[in-house]
Amino acid sequence: MTLTVGVIGGGQLARMMIPAATHLGVRLSVFAEADGSPAGMAATAVGDYRDAEQVLRWAQGLDAITFDHEHVPQEVLSALVEAGLAVRPGPHALLYAQDKLLMRERLGALGLPMPEWAPVATEAELDAFIREHGGAAVVKTPRGGYDGKGVRVVRSGSEAASWFADVAGPLLVEELVEFRRELAQSVARRPSGAFAAWPVVESVQRDGVCSEVIAPAPRAMGRVADVAEEIAVAVAEGLDVTGVLAVELFETSDERILVNELAMRPHNSGHWSIEGSTTSQFEQHLRAVLDLPLGGTGCRDPWTVMVNVLGGPAGEGLDSRYAKAMAEHPLVKFHSYDKESRPGRKVGHVCTGGDDLDDVVYQARAAAEMVAH
Ligand code: ADP
């Protein structure tokens, strides 16, 4: 019998599940928010994911339901569970990916290492936190942030005045971590408990947006790799996550590993695995949410580098640039999300691997630059 996985959200993550589903012989049924979304070719419904009735109608008969994003309201998730559907990850886990304050509280209860943090309800409380933490801090809106939107470095409480006015409830404030670099650790976990971890990777952000990923993270053999994996497994088990979990980490100059963020779905930091690992994060996610045996997570090349392609000014076609880049970089793999190009928007990525890290980085950056400009 053919198994069908439902995906709520039609973005690039759902899009990249399509070839993985095809290879596994699994059907994919996407609930997209609009016509012409990146995963539109697998869309079986277009609607509002906040409307339980529409989502329930689409969900009938699905073997597992999973996500392209974490914004599906708890009421809709509960309605799916009550209708007997297998929601993976479940609402009780997704809660912690939806709300950064709840996530900090829960990870604290699990004893996991994090930046110092506090909920703050007023500018005065924020000022006090800033004073106690060296004169600067990072303020975050607990819900709805992505790609650095909803994250602000502030030196005084008044710099967050608009958020205090707009956001119901407290904001999250964190110490400004002086990190040496950012790492990301992905694991996949089946409902029956088995898990598989990819090697920890290094991710470089520009203006709060992931710009490139190196797999495995250079100089992360031994302790750093072990600690990153232990943390991700502890999060997956502690929060009962099913499917792929990505844990964004800071490596500090005094060699501590701190948890920044969680994503309970395939993540930008794992795109390298399509070409670079025995099992891609998209295939592994489908296997995990269907409770099928997980695939190997080793690297195919000593180094794999992924570079995001950000959109330029709207209205410029990418086709001729892609063709030129493909001609010049035959060993680089190009991924286009079929999204309208806007400045700073992720519209694709490139990926390549090899033995010489400098050369691999050079090739990937050069190819990404050719298609982005
Ligand atoms: P998003 O929800 O947009 O992914 P994050 O919480 O991951 O937001 O923050 C985006 C980026 O901001 C991080 O990748 C990191 O570069 C920076 N950042 C976030 N929190 C801190 C912190 N406490 N200290 C220093 N930099 C931070």
Side-chain angles (χ1 to χ4, degrees):
M1 198 186 78
T2 307
L3 295 169
T4 306
V5 174
V7 187
I8 303 185
Q12 65 259 27
L13 301 178
R15 179 186 180 88
M16 289 184 267
M17 289 179 207
I18 299 171
T22 307
H23 295 155
L24 287 174
V26 166
R27 263 191 217 135
L28 212 62
S29 169
V30 170
F31 185 96
E33 38 284 282
D35 285 323
S37 58
M41 72 274 264
T44 52
V46 173
D48 181 354
Y49 60 78
R50 293 163 301 187
D51 181 335
E53 216 172 284
Q54 288 183 36
V55 176
L56 274 171
R57 212 177 309 126
W58 159 81
Q60 294 316 306
L62 295 173
D63 296 293
I65 295 175
T66 191
F67 308 93
D68 169 83
H69 59 74
E70 288 131 345
H71 307 311
V72 181
Q74 285 287 320
E75 307 80 73
V76 175
L77 299 171
S78 308
L80 289 168
V81 172
E82 275 158 31
L85 290 150
V87 179
R88 292 174 179 161
H92 58 287
L94 268 174
L95 193 59
Y96 302 105
Q98 293 179 327
D99 188 311
K100 290 180 181 178
L101 271 172
L102 292 179
M103 180 265 288
R104 287 283 179 238
E105 252 166 50
R106 185 79 183 99
L107 297 191
L110 290 171
L112 292 167
M114 288 184 293
E116 286 188 33
W117 67 278
V120 281
T122 63
E123 287 181 33
E125 284 179 21
L126 177 53
D127 271 324
F129 186 95
I130 292 169
R131 265 197 313 277
E132 285 158 24
H133 292 86
V138 180
V139 189
K140 302 185 179 184
T141 54
R143 291 175 160 268
Y146 68 99
D147 284 351
K149 295 174 183 62
V151 174
R152 215 179 261 179
V153 177
V154 296
R155 290 186 165 70
S156 107
S158 60
E159 290 176 55
S162 60
W163 283 354
F164 281 119
D166 294 347
V167 176
L171 300 174
L172 167 63
V173 63
E174 296 174 2
E175 67 173 299
L176 178 62
V177 177
E178 292 204 14
F179 52 81
R180 179 187 287 163
R181 59 178 174 166
E182 293 187 68
L183 303 170
Q185 173 69 59
S186 288
V187 293
R189 182 168 175 271
R190 292 173 64 176
S192 52
F195 66 86
W198 285 273
V200 66
V201 302
E202 178 172 342
S203 76
V204 181
Q205 337 287 316
R206 273 191 205 110
D207 301 325
V209 184
C210 173
S211 141
E212 58 188 56
V213 170
I214 304 172
R219 304 174 304 281
M221 303 306 149
R223 201 192 70 87
V224 170
D226 291 346
V227 171
E229 186 174 328
E230 278 164 24
I231 289 174
V233 171
V235 173
E237 288 178 346
L239 273 50
D240 188 29
V241 182
T242 45
V244 168
L245 163 77
V247 183
E248 295 178 20
L249 301 162
F250 297 131
E251 182 184 326
T252 66
S253 37
D254 55 353
E255 312 225 310
R256 288 175 305 143
I257 305 289
L258 306 175
V259 177
N260 174 31
E261 260 258 84
L262 309 180
M264 295 182 192
R265 48 169 172 74
H267 186 251
N268 199 166
S269 63
H271 292 355
W272 69 276
S273 61
I274 297 176
E275 287 88 11
S277 176
T278 305
T279 311
S280 81
Q281 61 168 348
F282 300 99
E283 176 181 340
Q284 198 80 303
H285 188 67
L286 295 174
R287 290 185 187 218
V289 300
L290 287 168
D291 206 10
L292 292 168
L294 300 175
T297 47
C299 294
R300 292 189 184 280
D301 276 308
W303 301 107
T304 304
V305 174
M306 187 279 330
V307 178
N308 276 332
V309 176
L310 301 185
E316 284 180 35
L318 290 173
D319 294 358
S320 62
R321 291 200 294 266
Y322 268 95
K324 202 160 158 251
M326 286 167 168
E328 208 141 305
H329 297 282
L331 298 182
V332 172
K333 305 309 286 182
F334 293 85
H335 298 253
S336 167
Y337 306 153
D338 198 13
K339 272 167 118 175
E340 201 185 307
S341 179
R342 269 192 258 118
R345 189 180 202 203
K346 289 175 190 167
V347 293
H349 74 264
V350 305
C351 188
T352 190
D355 298 334
D356 177 344
L357 179 57
D358 285 343
D359 183 57
V360 176
V361 169
Y362 175 80
Q363 297 293 337
R365 283 186 190 163
E369 207 158 298
M370 279 184 83
V371 291
H373 291 284

